[in-house]
Amino acid sequence: MKKNVFALVSSLAVLGTALAGCGGGQQASNQPPAEQQSGNGQSQTPAAPAPAEKKPQVLRLNLHSEPPTADPGLAEDTTSGAIILATFDGLTRIGADDKPHEAAAESWTVSDDKLTYTFKIRDHKWSNGDPVTAHDFEYAWKRALDPKTASNYAYQLYYIKNGEKANKGEAKLDDVGVKALDDKTLEVKLENPTPFFLELLAFRTYFPVNPKVVQGNDKWAGEANTHVGNGPFKIETWEHKSKLVLVKNDNYWDKDNVKLDRIEFAMVEDENTELSMFENGELDWAGSPTSSLPTDAIPALKDSGKMVTKPIAGTYWYKFNTEKPPFNNVKIRKAFTYAIDRQGLIDNILQTGQLPATGAVPPSMVLNPNGYFKDKDIDTAKKLLEEGMKELGISKLPPITLSYNTSEGHKKIAEAIQDQWKKNLGVEVKLENKEWKVYLEDLHQGKFQIGRMGWLGDFNDPINFLELYKDKDGGNNDTRWENPKFKELLNQSALESDLDKRKKILADAEQVLMDDMPIMPIYFYTQSWVQDPKVKGVQMTGLGDVDWKTAYIE
Amino acid sequence: MIRYLGKRIIFMLISLFLIVTATFFIMKAVPGGPFTSEKNVPDEIKAALEAKYKLNLPLHEQYFDYLKGVITWDLGPSFTEKSSTVNEMINRGFPVSAHLGAQALLLAVFGGIILGVIAALKHNKWQDYSAMVLAVLGLSVPGFILASFYQYFFSIKWGLLPIAKWEGFEYTILPSLALAASPMAFIARLTRSNMIEVLGQDYIKTAKAKGLHTFTITVKHAIRNALLPVITYLGPLIANILTGAFVIERIFGVPGLGREFVLSITNRDYTVIMGTTVFYSIILVVMILIVDIAYTLVDPRIKLADAGRE
């Protein structure tokens, strides 16, 4: 029995070292590659193959991790999303102008009350040769809404009449407002006028699936030989956790505009390794959107001028718990928000061209381009802090803790902000980090004072950011804040079919949010990457999705 | 022998049962679950998900279901990788990890023993010092640092070997070297100190006096006795190499099982946590048993328990 105790203890020890190794590994292993770049910009010249005339067009990329699924109804993450967007085509597809264009639907009509859309499905085929029909769309949407499917993104379909009810088991799937009138005509009825509906259709949860393939095979989307799509590419090989190859789909309706023959994905998790492979000419691209650049290498890459940066629709913010003193006082919340120097944080810590956020809604859907307050407004902040403390009847602030989930990046930001609060307000703030899932639970349960969080848009409309704070108990609010006026404005906006009026209503709502300041906006996200200059035509949408349909190698 | 083995196997099953039970309840006690995410989904969807994966059952029912699953070796679906079951993940990842581990192990054992023997035979000469400098380096420089160095020199600077991925024999060399470094150093030091001790024993003097060849003495008499502690170290080492490959697998993009072991915990991928833990525990207890049996083969002085005790 002694031996067995030894076995247990040593296995725990092994696990401990594995975990410790992982924590340390990510930081320490960043050093050698960073050193080799910060030398004097003498990075290896990529041994790019000489461009031959008739060479097949191959793009070599890295997926940071194995895509969990290539099933559009179930996918929840951007890695899966990228593969799905390459292998499927929705009714619409976002073009280079960031607007939705005809794709699987060749045309549509919208009723006057903006509640009924009728789509004419284009004559085209699945990658296995079956025709794509309106029934396939109806099947796919109802499948995603079926509670038995348990799709995490089913809420994307709540804009459809009875979508939410069906998903929550309060209505039958037959009552959902999507119906194939015949093979080529799809009629969709909505709950409310939804001005961004055509854009939503380009989102993966709205993609069709082939019922013949899906029925009776739970694993259809996990293997190359059973996966069927209607997009520009199809999966040729999928060696799990190791390699994925997409090839041009000859059944695609727009195949004349698809120039790439193959996309080969490696699956290397380590960002430093990925960058080395890129520098060595084994990859054509490193960094966003399918992975990220190692933070330590960013300054050197930036100086070398090779790094490309693009804003995406996302906001990095701190949330206040508005039920606990001192942040139950709006003036104190504002004092903390005004007192930080966002531009300094971006220039010195983040270094990848993020934009300072003085509002909740990112620039691609902006309601008020001037922001709602001044960055680094220290005098106002000091005054507000004093007034706020008077209102609360306290002469000294209680101990304050800023929480974030364990990560090098969040830590740097939190330390910088802690320092700024100390310098600009004279306030001491403690830092606390927790493992990601523990952190989320605590935040959702209100066990925090100030907590880090961010939001990346699902679709390019302000409502996506504002409705987070509509209900006190909403799943993504966490601040415990709600405001009847704010709620009322959001409800109005849902019924307003005039675009300009709607925008005005939403701007008023954002004003209410910023007057009450349950959140402290910090910056708007960007994506950064390095690429071989010969790669052209890769489309990055404002939401950070990537579309290789029109990509080519010069 | 048979009796002894029977007893050992029963103990193995008991320890496995304890590991499964402890892991299961500790895992469930950690806050957060597989569906805790930044984008909090409506309660109804959460309920549907939990029903789908039977997480809505009372804990003891989940536990008994799980035990049944372990006995029939059906480890359930993965929460994170919706398209795979845990069995598939193990079947895919383990051969890769085993391949990498076996190569590293061979390197470590043979390299370590050779280094150790040379150092012992040339005690306090330059060969000894250089072998031990190597060993100290191997022990003290962490695997991931070595890995990055290898990548930098062998791949980027000299272009001899691929940086990462897992597509053929040349891809396996660097990760094996990185993984083998620390156990090789350990074995070298262990072998050296034991050899030095053994070489001072009377029976070695006797053998020398008999006029036996130095080679014969070293191989037949000295090494065999010096290897006992090394064998002791092999059991945990094998499990360690199979699980400890996490960082190396990550850096070299090796599609092994090592990383599932760690990532599943961050993802609260319950079934994968349990599956990998059970799987590795089995390997560990079996290895320890094999090591115990190997003792008797190497050293006739050691008898398995029970003999002559009745």
Side-chain angles (χ1 to χ4, degrees), chain A residues 4-40:
Chain A
N4 292 318
V5 174
F6 169 60
L8 234 170
V9 170
S10 63
S11 70
L12 285 174
V14 163
L15 188 66
T17 47
L19 288 170
C22 129
Q26 283 165 355
Q27 295 151 33
S29 67
N30 278 345
Q31 278 156 354
E35 274 165 30
Q36 38 144 316
Q37 279 148 9
S38 58
N40 42 11

Side-chain angles (χ1 to χ4, degrees), chain B residues 147-190:
Chain B
S148 310
F149 268 108
Y150 290 160
Q151 279 181 336
Y152 180 62
F153 285 108
F154 288 95
S155 319
I156 299 174
K157 263 209 140 32
W158 306 327
L160 299 172
L161 293 164
I163 297 183
K165 293 199 294 198
W166 188 261
E167 293 180 355
F169 179 70
E170 68 271 29
Y171 289 85
T172 66
I173 299 170
L174 290 185
S176 305
L177 281 173
L179 193 55
S182 142
M184 177 146 89
F186 191 86
I187 290 174
R189 293 192 62 92
L190 208 59

Side-chain angles (χ1 to χ4, degrees), chain A residues 152 241 273 435 456 475-476, chain B residues 39-41 81 251 260 268:
Chain A
N152 231 334
K241 299 225 163 56
T273 304
E435 190 260 1
L456 292 171
N476 294 308
Chain B
K39 303 206 168 176
N40 217 350
V41 294
E81 276 185 49
I251 293 177
E260 305 297 354
R268 303 286 189 279

